[in-house]
Amino acid sequence: MLKPPEHQVAGHEAGTGKVGPLVDGSGHFYKPLPPGDERGAHEVAFYTSFSSDPRVPSSIRTFFPAFGGTQLLRASDSSDVLLPHLILEDLLHGYTGPCVMDVKIGARTWYPRAPESYFAKCLKKDRESTTVPLGFRISGLQVHHESGRWKPDRNKVRKYTVTDVRQVLRQFVSKNPDETHPDCALASSIYGGSNGILAQLLELKSWFEDQTLFHFYSTSVLISYDNGGTAARVKLVDFAHAVEGEGIIDHNFLGGLCSLIKFMSEILTDSEAEVGPANNGMA
């Protein structure tokens, strides 16, 4: 039974009169490919090429959703129209209390030789968000906690300042995310550790420091963990504007990734410093 994703935090949402993604409850995510939209065809081409490219290390492939081709399905807008859909891995399948954050990476989100209208649209969004000053912006997030679910309104998220981003990255790893002073109680287990978010981002950074195969524009890092116990993980999503690297390092993406790592590292360091004195006092 296909239905809209319950825990989607960014991107086009499915609904009456609106075409958006669907999930089947069995681990598959179906992304619609509207006719005449070159972005969908471009993303299919990227996945097809990337999935069989021997130059991509197997350890890096794990950061990308599994790709299963395309399939004709009824559109999610309650019409009877059949649309091709990209078949991808449902990255939140099996989670009981998914905590997820979509972070769009790069100080510029438009691709080379983009139409003037698209360039202007992207430039406006980039300047009005933290994309330009930080090299990344938060597109959406939610946190499941003991008292319920904290999911900031998208219109509010779009207006986040640098100060807001620092605060939200703390809230994302807190047991009281909706309070004024988040406790960062989960920072060490989610951001830190050998398998934590920072370790995964650093592995990606190491690849981006050398790889010249692709340049990723308007691509997001999807960060997730389950308050039910599933380990934290990092995935890259949205490749409608990925282009060939032509032997040049993707400094736009790499710079944004380094900036995100810096912000998270500072939060982890601060949280450990706050815990340290308390532990010493109890000894």
Side-chain angles (χ1 to χ4, degrees), residues 163-272:
T163 300
D164 293 331
V165 166
R166 184 173 280 109
Q167 175 76 351
V168 167
L169 289 174
R170 291 175 61 88
Q171 290 171 286
F172 186 65
V173 288
S174 295
K175 291 184 177 180
N176 61 337
D178 50 355
E179 296 183 12
T180 306
H181 302 289
D183 56 25
C184 286
L186 305 174
S188 60
S189 60
I190 301 302
Y191 289 159
S194 59
N195 297 312
I197 296 300
L198 275 170
Q200 295 176 58
L201 290 177
L202 286 168
E203 185 177 353
L204 266 178
K205 172 178 171 285
S206 179
W207 183 61
F208 272 94
E209 288 173 336
D210 294 321
Q211 80 89 13
T212 58
L213 304 174
F214 311 101
H215 284 192
F216 296 94
Y217 295 97
S218 206
T219 290
S220 290
V221 166
L222 194 73
I223 299 168
S224 65
Y225 69 92
D226 190 355
N227 71 356
T230 301
R233 66 177 181 175
V234 168
K235 294 281 187 177
L236 299 186
V237 297
D238 297 334
F239 308 108
H241 302 303
V243 299
E244 292 187 9
E246 299 179 349
I248 301 172
I249 288 175
D250 187 357
H251 290 289
N252 180 58
F253 194 95
L254 176 60
L257 194 60
C258 289
S259 179
L260 178 60
I261 288 171
K262 177 179 180 291
F263 268 66
M264 286 187 172
S265 296
E266 290 174 352
I267 291 169
L268 180 60
T269 300
D270 291 346
S271 67
E272 290 175 343

Side-chain angles (χ1 to χ4, degrees), residues 97-161:
C99 302
V100 57
M101 178 164 54
D102 184 301
V103 185
K104 195 175 292 291
I105 303 293
R108 56 171 278 192
T109 57
W110 68 91
Y111 56 96
R113 296 176 292 279
E116 184 65 28
S117 59
Y118 183 79
F119 162 76
K121 175 183 173 183
C122 288
L123 184 61
K124 183 176 186 294
K125 286 184 178 180
D126 293 351
R127 286 176 170 174
E128 293 176 350
S129 68
T130 61
T131 289
V132 172
L134 295 184
F136 70 87
R137 70 173 180 254
I138 297 173
S139 297
L141 76 156
Q142 71 171 25
V143 177
H144 276 89
H145 53 102
E146 292 181 358
S147 303
R149 181 177 72 161
W150 176 66
K151 186 176 182 180
D153 180 77
R154 287 196 189 188
N155 290 325
K156 181 179 180 180
V157 174
R158 291 189 186 102
K159 299 176 183 177
Y160 278 167
T161 64

Side-chain angles (χ1 to χ4, degrees), residues 19 32-35 71-77 80-85:
V19 174
L33 304 170
Q71 182 177 343
L72 278 175
L73 298 169
R74 293 194 183 282
S76 62
D77 59 357
D80 291 327
V81 176
L82 287 174
L83 285 181
H85 285 66

